Amino acid sequence: MGSAEGDLEPRSGRGADSPGRIVVVSAEAFPGEAARILAAALRHVVSDAGGAGVSLALAGGSTPRPVYERLADEAVPWDAVEVYFGDERCVPPEDPASNYRMARETLLDRIPFPASRVHRIACESGDPDAAADRYAALLPDPLDVLVLGIGEDGHTASLFPGGRALEETDRRVAPGRAPEGQGAPRQRVTVTPPVIRSARRIVVLAEGSRKAAAVHRALEEPWNPAGCPAQLARSGTWILDRAAAASLRTPGQGEVRDEGTP
Ligand code: 6PG
């Protein structure tokens, strides 16, 4: 399922539960291909906006790390981009678990980017509810480009199966709480389903065999975002390495690109 080069398939007019675009690449090509697609999309969005500011919300976790490093070397009109976050762990910005710190180290410190255009979720103060409301007040509606990941349990951002934030229909940003065993701080602040549903373009990054079952559930199982929150991003562009795509029944529906694909 192809698309105009450089666009992440605008989601307007497409049902949230309808499949979007799937790009499958080798593990070696994954970071570079994901960075290339993201950069092309940002150029496209900025051009569509006539040079007005566009909003890019970044995902956290570990998968994006090599992608952001390569994105820093891509040609992107950064002076037209405002950076936000899809979720954050409630830790100080210099904490190794901070999604803001990860984005700063891999991307923001490596491009000419003023701090005034980086909007981190400041939720380390111990009142995630107030932090969520402060962030909702500055988060653009809709977002132009939203980058998401997926957990082995099917979560995305910090929307976990059965979590209260998943039921939000009014608040655009809310506290979230990771279940035991996620290996990162449990208290979070996250965008909610309305933000994912309204995002103009979504790109989901997933690599590794550990994600294969969750990717299959998110893209091919019956619609059940309460059980698999990443289904909320089903109509976006999914960039997968072959291991993460291994459980897809219809891998052929995606574009399989090998290294060096122009
Ligand atoms: C976070 C992320 C989260 C992440 C998934 C996948 O704060 O951890 O926003 O949604 O994307 O948990 O994480 P990995 O990329 O580390 O597998």
Side-chain angles (χ1 to χ4, degrees):
M1 185 179 303
S3 77
E5 180 54 34
D7 199 353
L8 287 181
E9 302 268 318
R11 297 171 60 240
S12 54
R14 179 186 294 139
D17 61 343
S18 59
R21 176 181 169 209
I22 301 173
V23 178
V24 180
V25 295
S26 66
E28 298 71 25
F30 175 78
E33 190 62 17
R36 194 192 66 73
I37 292 173
L38 259 177
L42 286 167
R43 290 194 296 270
H44 198 95
V45 170
V46 168
S47 166
D48 276 358
V54 301
S55 54
L56 166 66
L58 296 174
S62 56
T63 301
R65 185 174 281 272
V67 177
Y68 295 167
E69 286 170 349
R70 284 160 180 80
L71 184 60
D73 300 327
E74 291 282 335
V76 175
W78 291 114
D79 55 359
V81 178
E82 297 267 347
V83 167
Y84 299 85
F85 292 82
D87 73 325
E88 184 57 277
R89 293 84 179 270
C90 293
V91 296
E94 67 279 0
D95 188 298
S98 162
N99 289 336
Y100 161 77
R101 173 173 165 172
M102 184 272 285
R104 211 197 61 225
E105 289 174 341
T106 56
L107 174 63
L108 303 172
D109 285 354
R110 301 177 59 231
I111 55 177
F113 208 89
S116 62
R117 290 214 309 273
V118 182
H119 309 282
R120 75 177 184 91
I121 303 176
C123 55
E124 64 273 22
S125 64
D127 185 348
D129 232 348
D133 288 343
R134 282 196 304 274
Y135 203 67
L138 63 87
L139 187 69
D141 183 13
L143 287 167
D144 290 302
V145 180
L146 172 59
V147 184
L148 292 170
I150 181 172
E152 294 177 52
D153 62 354
H155 79 260
T156 193
S158 284
L159 297 169
F160 293 91
R164 283 179 47 199
L166 205 49
E167 297 162 14
E168 284 290 350
T169 53
D170 297 322
R171 293 181 81 178
R172 298 178 62 239
V173 184
R177 194 154 178 79
E180 295 277 358
Q182 283 290 327
R186 297 188 64 194
Q187 188 58 60
R188 313 285 184 89
V189 167
T190 182
V191 296
T192 61
V195 171
I196 298 177
R197 271 197 283 274
S198 66
R200 289 200 174 103
R201 291 167 175 81
I202 289 180
V203 60
V204 181
L205 305 174
E207 58 89 25
S209 54
R210 291 181 306 117
K211 302 295 178 73
V215 167
H216 160 66
R217 288 177 59 209
L219 291 175
E220 297 180 325
E221 290 285 287
W223 186 248
N224 172 31
C228 182
Q231 287 188 346
L232 293 166
R234 179 179 283 186
S235 61
T237 294
W238 288 63
I239 306 174
L240 312 170
D241 75 347
R242 289 211 177 86
S247 299
L248 289 180
R249 280 195 303 269
T250 53
Q253 79 171 359
E255 302 165 37
V256 180
R257 295 189 184 189
D258 290 311
E259 286 165 73
T261 304

